[in-house]
Amino acid sequence: MNRRRVLLACGATIAAACLSGPAAAQDAAYPTRPIRFVVPYPPGGPLDIMARALAEKVRPTLGQPVVVENRPGAGGNIGADLVAKSAPDGYTLVMGAVATHAINPALFASIPYDPVKDFAPIVLVASVPNVLVMNPATSARLGIQSVQDLIGYARRNPGKLNMGSGGNGSAGHLAGELLKTRAGVFAAHIPYAGATPAQVALMSGQTDFMFDNLAAASPLIAAGKLKALAVTTAVRSRLLPEVPTMMQAGVPDFDLGTWFGIFAPAHTPETVVQKLHNEYAQALGSTDMRRRLADMGSDAAPGTPASLAALVQSDLRKYAEIVRVSGAKLN
């Protein structure tokens, strides 16, 4: 009887080895064909630019082309869902973002994927502050030189301020809603079809203030076309060291940033996830990629797949609360 059990155990072990052998060998040889890298936004934005730069950077070491494919729509949900439902073999990746993985689940009535269960985090690419900005002429006319001046004006003149953003549910919109909630003030929200039209409206005096992505706003701030009042993250930006954080400016519990990172479908083999992480982390640490990130107001700090997973979980809770309090919703 004991001998029979041993033989059965040996047979099971051999069978498992036969079954796992080809898969293990395939994982070790990965990649053997081009990798599809989905950007769930239109061409030309910061996610698209970084995706293409990284695709070129990792190509020599991976030994295969990384083909960037733009699949915009529904605030990033279309491209994210495409990858969530792709084969978990490491040949389809997505440049996910705070919108696709933290904001949209709370903002939309429903989305076709689960930002946690349907993805395997690979690496954080960048985390960039937003910045509270005004047209300098508007700032001078209203006597607003600081965040507290803005809050004071809003309290003395209820209903007279308006706030632009790149669209309903955008990071800039929700940062504005958080300011209104934390400071107990009101400003009418005016959404535009993207951050660039919102910038134009602000500089032409059509709106009074907005929360803009630091990478997009910093050249205009340097040129004197925008006035920076505060950054939205817990620490000051290296690009604007003289500009306080929102919390330093007296707004409690205000820590928001725009981030994006690389994800694979859930159940992608761990060996493949680790290989991709190593390759992209090495690329992000290179001199030219660090320079690109610096231009965006971010330093390379890719961390681990686990740390990206933790960031997603943390921001899901954070934005769910902001959306709930603000009442912002998209169908």
Side-chain angles (χ1 to χ4, degrees):
M1 184 69 176
N2 289 340
R3 183 178 178 185
R4 183 169 179 268
R5 287 177 180 171
V6 169
L7 289 172
L8 286 171
C10 290
T13 301
I14 293 169
C18 290
L19 290 171
S20 64
Q26 188 176 36
D27 292 349
Y30 169 88
T32 58
R33 64 179 192 269
I35 296 170
R36 183 188 192 189
F37 194 5
V38 175
V39 175
Y41 299 99
L47 274 75
D48 180 66
I49 291 169
M50 281 303 300
R52 293 179 188 279
L54 285 169
E56 288 302 311
K57 195 70 178 176
V58 299
R59 177 174 181 164
T61 51
L62 282 175
Q64 291 290 338
V66 178
V67 182
V68 175
E69 179 182 330
N70 297 92
R71 293 296 293 267
N77 291 345
I78 290 175
D81 184 51
L82 184 155
V83 175
K85 292 178 171 56
S86 295
D89 53 13
Y91 290 98
T92 307
L93 310 176
V94 66
M95 184 71 97
V98 64
T100 57
H101 281 69
I103 296 176
N104 290 359
L107 192 65
F108 285 80
S110 65
I111 61 173
Y113 59 87
D114 186 299
V116 175
K117 295 178 181 178
D118 290 343
F119 295 92
I122 303 295
V123 68
L124 177 68
V125 172
S127 181
V128 185
N130 286 324
V131 57
L132 173 56
V133 289
M134 294 186 71
N135 179 329
T138 303
S139 169
R141 176 172 56 83
L142 301 179
I144 298 174
Q145 301 299 318
S146 68
V147 173
Q148 287 303 316
D149 287 345
L150 179 67
I151 292 170
Y153 183 92
R155 287 174 177 168
R156 292 190 306 272
N157 301 276
K160 289 190 177 180
L161 285 178
N162 57 53
M163 171 188 76
S165 83
N168 282 315
S170 64
H173 172 208
L174 295 181
E177 295 297 337
L178 184 60
L179 169 62
K180 289 156 62 174
T181 299
R182 294 283 188 263
V185 297
F186 175 79
H189 174 227
I190 302 177
Y192 290 85
T196 299
Q199 277 184 348
V200 171
L202 183 67
M203 290 188 291
S204 65
Q206 296 175 46
T207 57
D208 297 317
F209 70 92
M210 71 177 286
F211 285 87
D212 200 1
N213 183 276
L214 181 60
S218 57
L220 298 171
I221 294 169
K225 296 180 179 180
L226 290 177
K227 178 179 178 61
L229 300 185
V231 295
T232 60
T233 42
V235 297
R236 296 191 183 205
S237 166
R238 186 177 42 76
L239 284 186
L240 299 172
E242 74 287 356
V243 176
T245 68
M246 291 292 291
M247 289 191 286
Q248 289 171 339
V251 183
D253 195 22
F254 200 115
D255 179 15
L256 298 176
T258 298
W259 57 259
F260 44 99
I262 301 171
F263 297 81
H267 310 300
T268 298
E270 180 58 33
T271 53
V272 172
V273 168
Q274 195 58 51
K275 183 176 181 65
L276 286 166
H277 171 81
N278 293 343
E279 295 292 344
Y280 277 101
Q282 182 177 337
L284 287 164
S286 65
T287 301
D288 53 338
M289 288 297 106
R290 290 179 71 90
R291 187 180 303 114
R292 284 178 178 266
L293 289 169
D295 290 341
M296 298 172 60
S298 177
D299 293 317
T304 64
S307 65
L308 177 54
L311 176 62
V312 170
Q313 293 276 17
S314 172
D315 273 11
L316 276 168
R317 293 190 293 271
K318 181 185 297 184
Y319 281 102
E321 175 64 12
I322 295 171
V323 169
R324 184 189 67 79
V325 171
S326 70
K329 277 291 181 181
L330 294 178
N331 295 324

